[in-house]
Amino acid sequence: MIGRKDFCASGQILMTDLSCLAYVLEEWTVVDYLKKYLFHMVIVSLTMSAILVFFIVPLTILFFIYLTNILLLIYQRNGEVKADPLSDVWDSARKTIASFWDIYARIWHGYELHGVENLPEGPGILVYYHGAIPVDYLYFLSRLFLWKKRLCLSVADHFVFRLPGLKLLLEVTGVMPGTREECLTALKNGHLVSISPGGVREALFSDESYQLMWGNRKGFAQVALDAKVPIIPMYTQNVREGYRMFKERRFFRQLYESTRLPFTPPYGGLPVKFRTYIGEPIPYDPNITTEELAEKTKTAVQALISKHQTIPGSIWKALLERFDKRRKSD
């Protein structure tokens, strides 16, 4: 009787008999190695793919932001523009940038903006909830400029100004550190000024429960009283379902509190439905205290969240809302 080894060696391989082929493969060390570690290789490959999917959209947004700054530099050089970055000379560049981000918002998040009629014609302070990545706020700025040709100045955390290569973009879009004097000057000049009292802390450590993390911050309320302007609450539905942070860890919280730098990377970028709601303004009242106004504003933002957001947030529901043609009521 011819054994499997002799049979295969004789070259008499039958098409219906796969035993020879299996034997030949078993003789290859590399196949044995692959058989032994194939499961581990599949797990590693799937893990790497998941990581890529989770982080590719946030990285893409960062890439587009830097690309926007490069386009502004080209516009400045070709046109030899030396005017004040907040002047109307930059409006054509702002329109181009706003159009790009608005198209991105429509395609990726089906973005909607409601309550623009609640914005005052004159100055005011917009107070909003800060998502893991405030891309929803970028969408709001873009659509506001396209609809009303109006620039809303933004108060940003100090770490934003440490990022290299973004100086011109920050200047042209009206992003500022937000000292009391800067805010009062902007309001005096008739601008809208926006601020998120929760800031980076809220971005990093809030979650799908949409908890406001304002602490004892009430400077915005004092500025509103000093400038005698209204405060307008604002919130974007599903912003935490689109982009999330990893669950809070004591180490990262302590690291942030000691350095004021966001070391925890955001992930996600799922094409969930985004709707930004602008609430009714809180009018200037000379008889209200700073503490009372800050608390009243917090209550107004929380009311928008309670009215328009499923809590805890659901990624699946947020995704399905992309296919819901009925507009959620204001």
Side-chain angles (χ1 to χ4, degrees), residues 129-189:
Y129 173 83
H130 201 304
I133 297 181
V135 68
D136 60 304
Y137 177 68
L138 185 57
Y139 297 164
F140 159 74
L141 292 178
S142 300
R143 188 152 303 177
L144 178 66
F145 188 82
L146 292 174
W147 282 4
K148 301 292 184 179
K149 200 179 179 181
R150 192 171 186 186
L151 186 63
C152 178
L153 306 192
S154 312
V155 175
D157 193 275
H158 292 291
F159 98 89
V160 173
F161 301 93
R162 302 181 195 176
L163 297 174
L166 293 178
K167 182 180 178 181
L168 184 58
L169 176 62
L170 297 178
E171 291 176 348
V172 171
T173 54
V175 180
M176 57 185 182
T179 63
R180 178 179 178 276
E181 291 72 22
E182 285 178 310
C183 291
L184 287 174
T185 299
L187 293 167
K188 183 180 179 180
N189 292 332

Side-chain angles (χ1 to χ4, degrees), residues 4-5 7-9 13-33 35:
R4 186 172 63 161
K5 181 176 181 179
F7 179 73
C8 292
I13 302 178
L14 300 177
M15 295 300 293
T16 57
D17 189 354
L18 297 179
S19 59
C20 287
L21 179 59
Y23 175 76
V24 172
L25 291 176
E26 287 173 3
E27 293 292 301
W28 295 354
T29 305
V30 66
V31 174
D32 288 337
Y33 179 86
K35 287 169 61 178

Side-chain angles (χ1 to χ4, degrees), residues 69-81 88-94 96 168:
N69 190 80
I70 292 172
L71 293 176
L72 284 175
L73 289 170
I74 295 173
Y75 176 83
Q76 183 184 46
R77 176 166 295 186
N78 290 345
E80 297 183 354
V81 180
D88 294 342
V89 174
W90 291 91
D91 277 355
S92 59
R94 290 193 188 98
T96 300
L168 184 58

Side-chain angles (χ1 to χ4, degrees), residues 117-249:
E117 66 277 3
N118 290 326
L119 294 176
E121 292 296 327
I125 297 180
L126 270 166
V127 176
Y128 63 97
Y129 173 83
H130 201 304
I133 297 181
V135 68
D136 60 304
Y137 177 68
L138 185 57
Y139 297 164
F140 159 74
L141 292 178
S142 300
R143 188 152 303 177
L144 178 66
F145 188 82
L146 292 174
W147 282 4
K148 301 292 184 179
K149 200 179 179 181
R150 192 171 186 186
L151 186 63
C152 178
L153 306 192
S154 312
V155 175
D157 193 275
H158 292 291
F159 98 89
V160 173
F161 301 93
R162 302 181 195 176
L163 297 174
L166 293 178
K167 182 180 178 181
L168 184 58
L169 176 62
L170 297 178
E171 291 176 348
V172 171
T173 54
V175 180
M176 57 185 182
T179 63
R180 178 179 178 276
E181 291 72 22
E182 285 178 310
C183 291
L184 287 174
T185 299
L187 293 167
K188 183 180 179 180
N189 292 332
H191 288 293
L192 285 172
V193 174
S194 64
I195 184 171
S196 173
V200 177
R201 182 181 289 106
E202 194 166 87
L204 294 176
F205 305 115
S206 185
D207 54 23
E208 59 270 23
S209 67
Y210 288 87
Q211 177 186 3
L212 297 177
M213 305 185 73
W214 293 10
N216 196 36
R217 292 184 175 179
K218 52 183 181 289
F220 68 92
Q222 186 60 59
V223 170
L225 291 174
D226 292 343
K228 300 180 181 181
V229 298
I231 291 178
I232 307 97
M234 186 171 73
Y235 166 73
T236 299
Q237 181 188 43
N238 298 325
V239 66
R240 282 282 166 182
E241 280 55 70
Y243 304 88
R244 289 189 172 183
M245 289 289 183
F246 293 103
K247 294 296 183 180
E248 178 183 345
R249 296 292 182 267

